[in-house]
Amino acid sequence: MTAPTVRVWAQVHKWTSLVCTLFLLMLCITGLPLIFHDEINGIGGDPASQIKGIPASRDAPELRSLDSILATALAARPGEVPLYMAFYDDRPLMTVTTGARPDVPVSGMKIQQINRLTGEIVADGKAGGRMVTEFLLQLHIDMFLGLKGELFLGVMGLIFFVAIVSGVVLYAPFMRKLDFGTLRTARSRRVKWLDYHNLVGIVALAWMTVVGLTGVINAFVTPITTLWQANELADMTRGYAGRPALPPSRYGSIDVAMATARRAIPGMNPQFIAFPGGSYSSGHHYAVFFQGATPLTENLLTTALVDAETGQLTDARPMPWYFKALSLSRPLHFGDYGGLPLKLLWAVLDLFTIVVLGSGVYLWIARRKGLRDPMGRREDHSVSATSVPRLPVSAQTIASKGISR
């Protein structure tokens, strides 16, 4: 590259990095414990973590009926209506979400855990580690600002991706006369940190890019859901357009609806059921979302819409490509699909991220202060047409733990 081109890329890298670095540091710090959310949730004796047995998502005679589970949940929350039922795929637990009305906001939803083997409500385990992980997750997703926070962090993720690309572009001229991995420890503190910054960043490049982009996808979950509602869901329920919403008093059997959905989508396990009036259903249907039965397909959903009053199938189809991208990005973002070894790898790379982000801030501050080398001369980072530039790579070349679920 010519010297003017290098200068342009250096400015792009500097300013995109400075804009998003502090937010990415927050995401990295909050994301680190979230990698181990399952292990942290077990701290303090969460009763749910001790329950073993047949997964609640199976169709087994030992499990209580869905209608009885729903009746138990509604009896504990009189005057409320059902919103969602979700199934654990590794234990006989399920959650029932209720609210004052079908379109209640998230803040008004109440969640109960119920053992499908015994039909008993499981005590809330939030006194332990779950309180910590739920707080960190909300901060990580939207900084407690709702949709505005999600979209803001999504934009920060896109800016960060530009910083990654510009950092990679600058790495080539920077390393032209240096061997890969060179650390000039005999030079000034700023030069040493510049070498650490670039080395760690380029080593973790692939992980940074993947985790950063999956974080951006997660941040736009609300617009993605709205797009699905306006297209696929509207097309599936076209025959019900213009009808008034079905009142909860006319909801039919959940077990009948589940049997209908299983016949339409055999060989898959239900992940959750959305009741009429919510974001994932129409005003007239039970929306049963099935997940694949293998590690490769367990995050790919297929939807069956069942008339909530008659129990008859209305339509069944896989989720569109953009929703599949969202479903696949969630476990990839937090390293949730490879057990503890992958979580440890994710944690190490997250620590790399924190080091590079912190060193980027230091490099910018040091340059502003005009630090000198041990011989008393200013470090020359100028770019000329005949010399190899020592570029001020001013912030991160590495991705954060991401942005949103």
Side-chain angles (χ1 to χ4, degrees), residues 223-239 279-282 285 289 301 303 305 314-324:
I224 289 174
T225 302
T226 301
L227 181 62
W228 174 76
Q229 293 171 333
N231 291 279
E232 279 72 20
L233 183 60
D235 185 57
M236 296 170 73
T237 60
R238 197 172 303 279
S279 299
Y280 289 89
S281 184
S282 73
H285 292 88
F289 290 81
L301 301 182
T303 311
L305 290 183
T314 297
D315 200 350
R317 63 179 69 176
M319 299 298 280
W321 66 268
Y322 51 85
F323 216 102
K324 291 179 180 178

PDB file of all heavy atoms in Angstrom, residues 223-239 279-282 285 289 301 303 305 314-324:
ATOM      1  N   PRO A 223     -35.779  -6.888  15.838  1.00  0.00           N
ATOM      2  CA  PRO A 223     -36.123  -6.672  14.425  1.00  0.00           C
ATOM      3  C   PRO A 223     -36.270  -7.977  13.644  1.00  0.00           C
ATOM      4  O   PRO A 223     -37.134  -8.078  12.760  1.00  0.00           O
ATOM      5  CB  PRO A 223     -34.940  -5.837  13.895  1.00  0.00           C
ATOM      6  CG  PRO A 223     -34.378  -5.175  15.092  1.00  0.00           C
ATOM      7  CD  PRO A 223     -34.556  -6.146  16.213  1.00  0.00           C
ATOM      8  N   ILE A 224     -35.456  -8.987  13.961  1.00  0.00           N
ATOM      9  CA  ILE A 224     -35.564 -10.274  13.270  1.00  0.00           C
ATOM     10  C   ILE A 224     -36.903 -10.931  13.575  1.00  0.00           C
ATOM     11  O   ILE A 224     -37.582 -11.465  12.678  1.00  0.00           O
ATOM     12  CB  ILE A 224     -34.397 -11.192  13.672  1.00  0.00           C
ATOM     13  CG1 ILE A 224     -33.091 -10.684  13.067  1.00  0.00           C
ATOM     14  CG2 ILE A 224     -34.652 -12.635  13.226  1.00  0.00           C
ATOM     15  CD1 ILE A 224     -31.856 -11.437  13.531  1.00  0.00           C
ATOM     16  N   THR A 225     -37.322 -10.876  14.834  1.00  0.00           N
ATOM     17  CA  THR A 225     -38.619 -11.443  15.213  1.00  0.00           C
ATOM     18  C   THR A 225     -39.752 -10.687  14.543  1.00  0.00           C
ATOM     19  O   THR A 225     -40.724 -11.290  14.057  1.00  0.00           O
ATOM     20  CB  THR A 225     -38.790 -11.402  16.742  1.00  0.00           C
ATOM     21  OG1 THR A 225     -37.721 -12.119  17.357  1.00  0.00           O
ATOM     22  CG2 THR A 225     -40.112 -12.027  17.154  1.00  0.00           C
ATOM     23  N   THR A 226     -39.655  -9.370  14.476  1.00  0.00           N
ATOM     24  CA  THR A 226     -40.684  -8.559  13.828  1.00  0.00           C
ATOM     25  C   THR A 226     -40.786  -8.900  12.345  1.00  0.00           C
ATOM     26  O   THR A 226     -41.894  -8.977  11.781  1.00  0.00           O
ATOM     27  CB  THR A 226     -40.368  -7.059  14.011  1.00  0.00           C
ATOM     28  OG1 THR A 226     -40.305  -6.759  15.410  1.00  0.00           O
ATOM     29  CG2 THR A 226     -41.433  -6.205  13.363  1.00  0.00           C
ATOM     30  N   LEU A 227     -39.642  -9.125  11.697  1.00  0.00           N
ATOM     31  CA  LEU A 227     -39.638  -9.507  10.283  1.00  0.00           C
ATOM     32  C   LEU A 227     -40.324 -10.845  10.083  1.00  0.00           C
ATOM     33  O   LEU A 227     -41.109 -11.025   9.133  1.00  0.00           O
ATOM     34  CB  LEU A 227     -38.193  -9.564   9.777  1.00  0.00           C
ATOM     35  CG  LEU A 227     -37.993  -9.918   8.308  1.00  0.00           C
ATOM     36  CD1 LEU A 227     -38.635  -8.871   7.402  1.00  0.00           C
ATOM     37  CD2 LEU A 227     -36.504 -10.056   7.990  1.00  0.00           C
ATOM     38  N   TRP A 228     -40.062 -11.803  10.974  1.00  0.00           N
ATOM     39  CA  TRP A 228     -40.721 -13.113  10.885  1.00  0.00           C
ATOM     40  C   TRP A 228     -42.230 -12.987  11.075  1.00  0.00           C
ATOM     41  O   TRP A 228     -43.015 -13.608  10.368  1.00  0.00           O
ATOM     42  CB  TRP A 228     -40.129 -14.050  11.936  1.00  0.00           C
ATOM     43  CG  TRP A 228     -40.839 -15.365  12.027  1.00  0.00           C
ATOM     44  CD1 TRP A 228     -40.745 -16.406  11.153  1.00  0.00           C
ATOM     45  CD2 TRP A 228     -41.746 -15.769  13.055  1.00  0.00           C
ATOM     46  NE1 TRP A 228     -41.552 -17.448  11.570  1.00  0.00           N
ATOM     47  CE2 TRP A 228     -42.175 -17.089  12.724  1.00  0.00           C
ATOM     48  CE3 TRP A 228     -42.244 -15.171  14.199  1.00  0.00           C
ATOM     49  CZ2 TRP A 228     -43.081 -17.794  13.529  1.00  0.00           C
ATOM     50  CZ3 TRP A 228     -43.131 -15.876  14.997  1.00  0.00           C
ATOM     51  CH2 TRP A 228     -43.542 -17.167  14.662  1.00  0.00           C
ATOM     52  N   GLN A 229     -42.643 -12.156  12.019  1.00  0.00           N
ATOM     53  CA  GLN A 229     -44.075 -11.955  12.247  1.00  0.00           C
ATOM     54  C   GLN A 229     -44.757 -11.365  11.017  1.00  0.00           C
ATOM     55  O   GLN A 229     -45.866 -11.781  10.658  1.00  0.00           O
ATOM     56  CB  GLN A 229     -44.284 -11.018  13.446  1.00  0.00           C
ATOM     57  CG  GLN A 229     -43.867 -11.594  14.778  1.00  0.00           C
ATOM     58  CD  GLN A 229     -43.886 -10.547  15.866  1.00  0.00           C
ATOM     59  OE1 GLN A 229     -43.728  -9.353  15.606  1.00  0.00           O
ATOM     60  NE2 GLN A 229     -44.074 -10.982  17.106  1.00  0.00           N
ATOM     61  N   ALA A 230     -44.097 -10.394  10.394  1.00  0.00           N
ATOM     62  CA  ALA A 230     -44.709  -9.698   9.266  1.00  0.00           C
ATOM     63  C   ALA A 230     -44.736 -10.542   8.001  1.00  0.00           C
ATOM     64  O   ALA A 230     -45.557 -10.264   7.103  1.00  0.00           O
ATOM     65  CB  ALA A 230     -43.962  -8.392   9.002  1.00  0.00           C
ATOM     66  N   ASN A 231     -43.904 -11.548   7.910  1.00  0.00           N
ATOM     67  CA  ASN A 231     -43.830 -12.351   6.688  1.00  0.00           C
ATOM     68  C   ASN A 231     -44.345 -13.769   6.915  1.00  0.00           C
ATOM     69  O   ASN A 231     -45.499 -14.067   6.602  1.00  0.00           O
ATOM     70  CB  ASN A 231     -42.389 -12.366   6.175  1.00  0.00           C
ATOM     71  CG  ASN A 231     -41.946 -11.017   5.656  1.00  0.00           C
ATOM     72  OD1 ASN A 231     -42.248 -10.635   4.539  1.00  0.00           O
ATOM     73  ND2 ASN A 231     -41.218 -10.270   6.467  1.00  0.00           N
ATOM     74  N   GLU A 232     -43.525 -14.649   7.474  1.00  0.00           N
ATOM     75  CA  GLU A 232     -43.899 -16.062   7.598  1.00  0.00           C
ATOM     76  C   GLU A 232     -45.136 -16.264   8.477  1.00  0.00           C
ATOM     77  O   GLU A 232     -46.061 -16.982   8.096  1.00  0.00           O
ATOM     78  CB  GLU A 232     -42.725 -16.868   8.148  1.00  0.00           C
ATOM     79  CG  GLU A 232     -41.681 -17.249   7.110  1.00  0.00           C
ATOM     80  CD  GLU A 232     -40.851 -16.072   6.653  1.00  0.00           C
ATOM     81  OE1 GLU A 232     -40.809 -15.062   7.387  1.00  0.00           O
ATOM     82  OE2 GLU A 232     -40.238 -16.161   5.579  1.00  0.00           O
ATOM     83  N   LEU A 233     -45.156 -15.640   9.663  1.00  0.00           N
ATOM     84  CA  LEU A 233     -46.295 -15.847  10.554  1.00  0.00           C
ATOM     85  C   LEU A 233     -47.579 -15.299   9.940  1.00  0.00           C
ATOM     86  O   LEU A 233     -48.638 -15.933  10.031  1.00  0.00           O
ATOM     87  CB  LEU A 233     -46.033 -15.188  11.907  1.00  0.00           C
ATOM     88  CG  LEU A 233     -47.115 -15.385  12.978  1.00  0.00           C
ATOM     89  CD1 LEU A 233     -47.305 -16.872  13.265  1.00  0.00           C
ATOM     90  CD2 LEU A 233     -46.769 -14.634  14.254  1.00  0.00           C
ATOM     91  N   ALA A 234     -47.505 -14.141   9.318  1.00  0.00           N
ATOM     92  CA  ALA A 234     -48.690 -13.569   8.676  1.00  0.00           C
ATOM     93  C   ALA A 234     -49.187 -14.461   7.546  1.00  0.00           C
ATOM     94  O   ALA A 234     -50.403 -14.629   7.355  1.00  0.00           O
ATOM     95  CB  ALA A 234     -48.371 -12.171   8.153  1.00  0.00           C
ATOM     96  N   ASP A 235     -48.255 -15.064   6.797  1.00  0.00           N
ATOM     97  CA  ASP A 235     -48.650 -15.944   5.700  1.00  0.00           C
ATOM     98  C   ASP A 235     -49.283 -17.231   6.228  1.00  0.00           C
ATOM     99  O   ASP A 235     -50.263 -17.731   5.656  1.00  0.00           O
ATOM    100  CB  ASP A 235     -47.428 -16.273   4.844  1.00  0.00           C
ATOM    101  CG  ASP A 235     -47.785 -17.081   3.613  1.00  0.00           C
ATOM    102  OD1 ASP A 235     -48.626 -16.621   2.822  1.00  0.00           O
ATOM    103  OD2 ASP A 235     -47.236 -18.191   3.442  1.00  0.00           O
ATOM    104  N   MET A 236     -48.762 -17.771   7.313  1.00  0.00           N
ATOM    105  CA  MET A 236     -49.293 -18.996   7.884  1.00  0.00           C
ATOM    106  C   MET A 236     -50.693 -18.802   8.472  1.00  0.00           C
ATOM    107  O   MET A 236     -51.487 -19.752   8.544  1.00  0.00           O
ATOM    108  CB  MET A 236     -48.354 -19.527   8.972  1.00  0.00           C
ATOM    109  CG  MET A 236     -46.978 -19.943   8.458  1.00  0.00           C
ATOM    110  SD  MET A 236     -45.792 -20.301   9.790  1.00  0.00           S
ATOM    111  CE  MET A 236     -46.401 -21.872  10.396  1.00  0.00           C
ATOM    112  N   THR A 237     -51.009 -17.604   8.907  1.00  0.00           N
ATOM    113  CA  THR A 237     -52.302 -17.342   9.561  1.00  0.00           C
ATOM    114  C   THR A 237     -53.200 -16.442   8.717  1.00  0.00           C
ATOM    115  O   THR A 237     -54.118 -15.807   9.243  1.00  0.00           O
ATOM    116  CB  THR A 237     -52.067 -16.691  10.931  1.00  0.00           C
ATOM    117  OG1 THR A 237     -51.359 -15.449  10.762  1.00  0.00           O
ATOM    118  CG2 THR A 237     -51.254 -17.591  11.833  1.00  0.00           C
ATOM    119  N   ARG A 238     -52.978 -16.423   7.421  1.00  0.00           N
ATOM    120  CA  ARG A 238     -53.735 -15.535   6.546  1.00  0.00           C
ATOM    121  C   ARG A 238     -55.247 -15.792   6.631  1.00  0.00           C
ATOM    122  O   ARG A 238     -56.061 -14.872   6.537  1.00  0.00           O
ATOM    123  CB  ARG A 238     -53.261 -15.692   5.101  1.00  0.00           C
ATOM    124  CG  ARG A 238     -53.674 -14.542   4.183  1.00  0.00           C
ATOM    125  CD  ARG A 238     -53.009 -14.676   2.821  1.00  0.00           C
ATOM    126  NE  ARG A 238     -51.571 -14.720   2.936  1.00  0.00           N
ATOM    127  CZ  ARG A 238     -50.799 -13.644   3.083  1.00  0.00           C
ATOM    128  NH1 ARG A 238     -51.370 -12.446   3.171  1.00  0.00           N
ATOM    129  NH2 ARG A 238     -49.495 -13.762   3.160  1.00  0.00           N
ATOM    130  N   GLY A 239     -55.636 -17.045   6.808  1.00  0.00           N
ATOM    131  CA  GLY A 239     -57.053 -17.383   6.881  1.00  0.00           C
ATOM    132  C   GLY A 239     -57.752 -16.849   8.116  1.00  0.00           C
ATOM    133  O   GLY A 239     -58.991 -16.858   8.184  1.00  0.00           O
ATOM    134  N   SER A 279     -45.818 -12.670  21.098  1.00  0.00           N
ATOM    135  CA  SER A 279     -44.953 -12.287  19.973  1.00  0.00           C
ATOM    136  C   SER A 279     -44.702 -13.431  19.007  1.00  0.00           C
ATOM    137  O   SER A 279     -44.422 -13.202  17.829  1.00  0.00           O
ATOM    138  CB  SER A 279     -43.617 -11.763  20.501  1.00  0.00           C
ATOM    139  OG  SER A 279     -43.802 -10.621  21.315  1.00  0.00           O
ATOM    140  N   TYR A 280     -44.769 -14.674  19.477  1.00  0.00           N
ATOM    141  CA  TYR A 280     -44.412 -15.812  18.646  1.00  0.00           C
ATOM    142  C   TYR A 280     -45.637 -16.606  18.187  1.00  0.00           C
ATOM    143  O   TYR A 280     -45.507 -17.744  17.742  1.00  0.00           O
ATOM    144  CB  TYR A 280     -43.449 -16.732  19.397  1.00  0.00           C
ATOM    145  CG  TYR A 280     -42.077 -16.123  19.559  1.00  0.00           C
ATOM    146  CD1 TYR A 280     -41.772 -15.327  20.659  1.00  0.00           C
ATOM    147  CD2 TYR A 280     -41.084 -16.314  18.602  1.00  0.00           C
ATOM    148  CE1 TYR A 280     -40.524 -14.760  20.804  1.00  0.00           C
ATOM    149  CE2 TYR A 280     -39.836 -15.744  18.737  1.00  0.00           C
ATOM    150  CZ  TYR A 280     -39.561 -14.974  19.847  1.00  0.00           C
ATOM    151  OH  TYR A 280     -38.314 -14.391  19.989  1.00  0.00           O
ATOM    152  N   SER A 281     -46.803 -16.016  18.283  1.00  0.00           N
ATOM    153  CA  SER A 281     -48.008 -16.703  17.839  1.00  0.00           C
ATOM    154  C   SER A 281     -48.993 -15.676  17.300  1.00  0.00           C
ATOM    155  O   SER A 281     -48.734 -14.470  17.316  1.00  0.00           O
ATOM    156  CB  SER A 281     -48.629 -17.498  18.994  1.00  0.00           C
ATOM    157  OG  SER A 281     -49.741 -18.245  18.542  1.00  0.00           O
ATOM    158  N   SER A 282     -50.136 -16.167  16.831  1.00  0.00           N
ATOM    159  CA  SER A 282     -51.218 -15.282  16.402  1.00  0.00           C
ATOM    160  C   SER A 282     -52.220 -15.163  17.547  1.00  0.00           C
ATOM    161  O   SER A 282     -52.001 -15.673  18.638  1.00  0.00           O
ATOM    162  CB  SER A 282     -51.895 -15.859  15.161  1.00  0.00           C
ATOM    163  OG  SER A 282     -52.696 -16.988  15.518  1.00  0.00           O
ATOM    164  N   HIS A 285     -53.777 -19.189  17.857  1.00  0.00           N
ATOM    165  CA  HIS A 285     -53.032 -20.440  17.734  1.00  0.00           C
ATOM    166  C   HIS A 285     -52.114 -20.719  18.924  1.00  0.00           C
ATOM    167  O   HIS A 285     -51.587 -19.806  19.556  1.00  0.00           O
ATOM    168  CB  HIS A 285     -52.171 -20.418  16.463  1.00  0.00           C
ATOM    169  CG  HIS A 285     -52.961 -20.445  15.204  1.00  0.00           C
ATOM    170  ND1 HIS A 285     -53.418 -19.296  14.596  1.00  0.00           N
ATOM    171  CD2 HIS A 285     -53.379 -21.493  14.427  1.00  0.00           C
ATOM    172  CE1 HIS A 285     -54.081 -19.615  13.495  1.00  0.00           C
ATOM    173  NE2 HIS A 285     -54.071 -20.936  13.380  1.00  0.00           N
ATOM    174  N   PHE A 289     -42.916 -24.893  18.868  1.00  0.00           N
ATOM    175  CA  PHE A 289     -41.609 -24.793  18.226  1.00  0.00           C
ATOM    176  C   PHE A 289     -40.801 -26.046  18.561  1.00  0.00           C
ATOM    177  O   PHE A 289     -40.531 -26.333  19.729  1.00  0.00           O
ATOM    178  CB  PHE A 289     -40.872 -23.544  18.690  1.00  0.00           C
ATOM    179  CG  PHE A 289     -41.475 -22.269  18.178  1.00  0.00           C
ATOM    180  CD1 PHE A 289     -42.585 -21.710  18.798  1.00  0.00           C
ATOM    181  CD2 PHE A 289     -40.942 -21.627  17.068  1.00  0.00           C
ATOM    182  CE1 PHE A 289     -43.146 -20.538  18.326  1.00  0.00           C
ATOM    183  CE2 PHE A 289     -41.492 -20.454  16.587  1.00  0.00           C
ATOM    184  CZ  PHE A 289     -42.609 -19.911  17.220  1.00  0.00           C
ATOM    185  N   LEU A 301     -35.111 -24.522  14.402  1.00  0.00           N
ATOM    186  CA  LEU A 301     -36.497 -24.673  14.828  1.00  0.00           C
ATOM    187  C   LEU A 301     -37.444 -24.872  13.653  1.00  0.00           C
ATOM    188  O   LEU A 301     -37.228 -24.329  12.566  1.00  0.00           O
ATOM    189  CB  LEU A 301     -36.932 -23.445  15.626  1.00  0.00           C
ATOM    190  CG  LEU A 301     -36.129 -23.122  16.885  1.00  0.00           C
ATOM    191  CD1 LEU A 301     -36.714 -21.897  17.586  1.00  0.00           C
ATOM    192  CD2 LEU A 301     -36.095 -24.313  17.832  1.00  0.00           C
ATOM    193  N   THR A 303     -41.773 -24.797  13.126  1.00  0.00           N
ATOM    194  CA  THR A 303     -42.962 -24.313  13.815  1.00  0.00           C
ATOM    195  C   THR A 303     -44.213 -25.022  13.321  1.00  0.00           C
ATOM    196  O   THR A 303     -44.419 -25.178  12.118  1.00  0.00           O
ATOM    197  CB  THR A 303     -43.142 -22.803  13.589  1.00  0.00           C
ATOM    198  OG1 THR A 303     -41.916 -22.145  13.852  1.00  0.00           O
ATOM    199  CG2 THR A 303     -44.232 -22.239  14.474  1.00  0.00           C
ATOM    200  N   LEU A 305     -48.345 -24.514  13.803  1.00  0.00           N
ATOM    201  CA  LEU A 305     -49.432 -23.691  14.313  1.00  0.00           C
ATOM    202  C   LEU A 305     -50.690 -24.545  14.419  1.00  0.00           C
ATOM    203  O   LEU A 305     -51.156 -25.118  13.430  1.00  0.00           O
ATOM    204  CB  LEU A 305     -49.701 -22.495  13.400  1.00  0.00           C
ATOM    205  CG  LEU A 305     -48.633 -21.391  13.360  1.00  0.00           C
ATOM    206  CD1 LEU A 305     -49.099 -20.252  12.474  1.00  0.00           C
ATOM    207  CD2 LEU A 305     -48.323 -20.883  14.757  1.00  0.00           C
ATOM    208  N   THR A 314     -53.018 -25.855  11.467  1.00  0.00           N
ATOM    209  CA  THR A 314     -53.182 -24.795  10.469  1.00  0.00           C
ATOM    210  C   THR A 314     -52.038 -24.804   9.471  1.00  0.00           C
ATOM    211  O   THR A 314     -52.237 -24.740   8.263  1.00  0.00           O
ATOM    212  CB  THR A 314     -53.260 -23.415  11.151  1.00  0.00           C
ATOM    213  OG1 THR A 314     -54.414 -23.367  11.989  1.00  0.00           O
ATOM    214  CG2 THR A 314     -53.361 -22.300  10.116  1.00  0.00           C
ATOM    215  N   ASP A 315     -50.810 -24.909   9.952  1.00  0.00           N
ATOM    216  CA  ASP A 315     -49.641 -24.916   9.064  1.00  0.00           C
ATOM    217  C   ASP A 315     -48.429 -25.361   9.871  1.00  0.00           C
ATOM    218  O   ASP A 315     -48.397 -25.258  11.097  1.00  0.00           O
ATOM    219  CB  ASP A 315     -49.394 -23.527   8.482  1.00  0.00           C
ATOM    220  CG  ASP A 315     -48.539 -23.559   7.226  1.00  0.00           C
ATOM    221  OD1 ASP A 315     -47.975 -24.638   6.919  1.00  0.00           O
ATOM    222  OD2 ASP A 315     -48.433 -22.520   6.547  1.00  0.00           O
ATOM    223  N   ALA A 316     -47.411 -25.854   9.165  1.00  0.00           N
ATOM    224  CA  ALA A 316     -46.137 -26.234   9.780  1.00  0.00           C
ATOM    225  C   ALA A 316     -45.033 -25.992   8.777  1.00  0.00           C
ATOM    226  O   ALA A 316     -45.143 -26.414   7.616  1.00  0.00           O
ATOM    227  CB  ALA A 316     -46.149 -27.697  10.213  1.00  0.00           C
ATOM    228  N   ARG A 317     -43.980 -25.320   9.204  1.00  0.00           N
ATOM    229  CA  ARG A 317     -42.860 -25.040   8.297  1.00  0.00           C
ATOM    230  C   ARG A 317     -41.615 -24.674   9.097  1.00  0.00           C
ATOM    231  O   ARG A 317     -41.719 -24.193  10.227  1.00  0.00           O
ATOM    232  CB  ARG A 317     -43.215 -23.924   7.315  1.00  0.00           C
ATOM    233  CG  ARG A 317     -43.507 -22.583   7.976  1.00  0.00           C
ATOM    234  CD  ARG A 317     -43.822 -21.492   6.959  1.00  0.00           C
ATOM    235  NE  ARG A 317     -45.094 -21.701   6.288  1.00  0.00           N
ATOM    236  CZ  ARG A 317     -45.612 -20.831   5.417  1.00  0.00           C
ATOM    237  NH1 ARG A 317     -44.955 -19.696   5.132  1.00  0.00           N
ATOM    238  NH2 ARG A 317     -46.770 -21.074   4.845  1.00  0.00           N
ATOM    239  N   PRO A 318     -40.421 -24.875   8.528  1.00  0.00           N
ATOM    240  CA  PRO A 318     -39.181 -24.472   9.197  1.00  0.00           C
ATOM    241  C   PRO A 318     -39.088 -22.958   9.290  1.00  0.00           C
ATOM    242  O   PRO A 318     -39.720 -22.224   8.521  1.00  0.00           O
ATOM    243  CB  PRO A 318     -38.084 -25.047   8.302  1.00  0.00           C
ATOM    244  CG  PRO A 318     -38.767 -26.057   7.437  1.00  0.00           C
ATOM    245  CD  PRO A 318     -40.175 -25.587   7.263  1.00  0.00           C
ATOM    246  N   MET A 319     -38.302 -22.494  10.221  1.00  0.00           N
ATOM    247  CA  MET A 319     -38.063 -21.058  10.337  1.00  0.00           C
ATOM    248  C   MET A 319     -37.218 -20.586   9.158  1.00  0.00           C
ATOM    249  O   MET A 319     -36.415 -21.344   8.603  1.00  0.00           O
ATOM    250  CB  MET A 319     -37.348 -20.745  11.648  1.00  0.00           C
ATOM    251  CG  MET A 319     -38.137 -21.137  12.888  1.00  0.00           C
ATOM    252  SD  MET A 319     -39.704 -20.255  13.040  1.00  0.00           S
ATOM    253  CE  MET A 319     -39.151 -18.683  13.696  1.00  0.00           C
ATOM    254  N   PRO A 320     -37.367 -19.324   8.726  1.00  0.00           N
ATOM    255  CA  PRO A 320     -36.600 -18.808   7.585  1.00  0.00           C
ATOM    256  C   PRO A 320     -35.119 -18.692   7.902  1.00  0.00           C
ATOM    257  O   PRO A 320     -34.691 -18.779   9.059  1.00  0.00           O
ATOM    258  CB  PRO A 320     -37.236 -17.441   7.333  1.00  0.00           C
ATOM    259  CG  PRO A 320     -37.817 -17.046   8.657  1.00  0.00           C
ATOM    260  CD  PRO A 320     -38.284 -18.326   9.289  1.00  0.00           C
ATOM    261  N   TRP A 321     -34.321 -18.451   6.868  1.00  0.00           N
ATOM    262  CA  TRP A 321     -32.870 -18.468   6.998  1.00  0.00           C
ATOM    263  C   TRP A 321     -32.364 -17.452   8.020  1.00  0.00           C
ATOM    264  O   TRP A 321     -31.419 -17.729   8.771  1.00  0.00           O
ATOM    265  CB  TRP A 321     -32.219 -18.191   5.634  1.00  0.00           C
ATOM    266  CG  TRP A 321     -32.466 -16.806   5.109  1.00  0.00           C
ATOM    267  CD1 TRP A 321     -33.468 -16.385   4.298  1.00  0.00           C
ATOM    268  CD2 TRP A 321     -31.671 -15.633   5.396  1.00  0.00           C
ATOM    269  NE1 TRP A 321     -33.363 -15.036   4.053  1.00  0.00           N
ATOM    270  CE2 TRP A 321     -32.268 -14.552   4.702  1.00  0.00           C
ATOM    271  CE3 TRP A 321     -30.528 -15.401   6.160  1.00  0.00           C
ATOM    272  CZ2 TRP A 321     -31.762 -13.260   4.761  1.00  0.00           C
ATOM    273  CZ3 TRP A 321     -30.008 -14.110   6.221  1.00  0.00           C
ATOM    274  CH2 TRP A 321     -30.632 -13.060   5.520  1.00  0.00           C
ATOM    275  N   TYR A 322     -32.981 -16.269   8.078  1.00  0.00           N
ATOM    276  CA  TYR A 322     -32.479 -15.247   8.994  1.00  0.00           C
ATOM    277  C   TYR A 322     -32.760 -15.630  10.449  1.00  0.00           C
ATOM    278  O   TYR A 322     -31.988 -15.268  11.342  1.00  0.00           O
ATOM    279  CB  TYR A 322     -33.055 -13.867   8.662  1.00  0.00           C
ATOM    280  CG  TYR A 322     -34.558 -13.809   8.526  1.00  0.00           C
ATOM    281  CD1 TYR A 322     -35.389 -13.646   9.628  1.00  0.00           C
ATOM    282  CD2 TYR A 322     -35.155 -13.905   7.261  1.00  0.00           C
ATOM    283  CE1 TYR A 322     -36.759 -13.582   9.496  1.00  0.00           C
ATOM    284  CE2 TYR A 322     -36.532 -13.843   7.123  1.00  0.00           C
ATOM    285  CZ  TYR A 322     -37.336 -13.678   8.229  1.00  0.00           C
ATOM    286  OH  TYR A 322     -38.703 -13.618   8.088  1.00  0.00           O
ATOM    287  N   PHE A 323     -33.841 -16.359  10.692  1.00  0.00           N
ATOM    288  CA  PHE A 323     -34.106 -16.830  12.049  1.00  0.00           C
ATOM    289  C   PHE A 323     -33.184 -17.995  12.399  1.00  0.00           C
ATOM    290  O   PHE A 323     -32.776 -18.157  13.548  1.00  0.00           O
ATOM    291  CB  PHE A 323     -35.574 -17.250  12.193  1.00  0.00           C
ATOM    292  CG  PHE A 323     -36.151 -16.939  13.538  1.00  0.00           C
ATOM    293  CD1 PHE A 323     -36.982 -15.853  13.727  1.00  0.00           C
ATOM    294  CD2 PHE A 323     -35.836 -17.724  14.637  1.00  0.00           C
ATOM    295  CE1 PHE A 323     -37.506 -15.555  14.979  1.00  0.00           C
ATOM    296  CE2 PHE A 323     -36.354 -17.439  15.890  1.00  0.00           C
ATOM    297  CZ  PHE A 323     -37.185 -16.349  16.058  1.00  0.00           C
ATOM    298  N   LYS A 324     -32.852 -18.812  11.408  1.00  0.00           N
ATOM    299  CA  LYS A 324     -31.877 -19.876  11.649  1.00  0.00           C
ATOM    300  C   LYS A 324     -30.520 -19.290  12.026  1.00  0.00           C
ATOM    301  O   LYS A 324     -29.827 -19.814  12.906  1.00  0.00           O
ATOM    302  CB  LYS A 324     -31.741 -20.757  10.409  1.00  0.00           C
ATOM    303  CG  LYS A 324     -32.963 -21.616  10.096  1.00  0.00           C
ATOM    304  CD  LYS A 324     -32.747 -22.437   8.847  1.00  0.00           C
ATOM    305  CE  LYS A 324     -33.964 -23.306   8.538  1.00  0.00           C
ATOM    306  NZ  LYS A 324     -33.792 -24.087   7.281  1.00  0.00           N
TER     307      LYS A 324
END
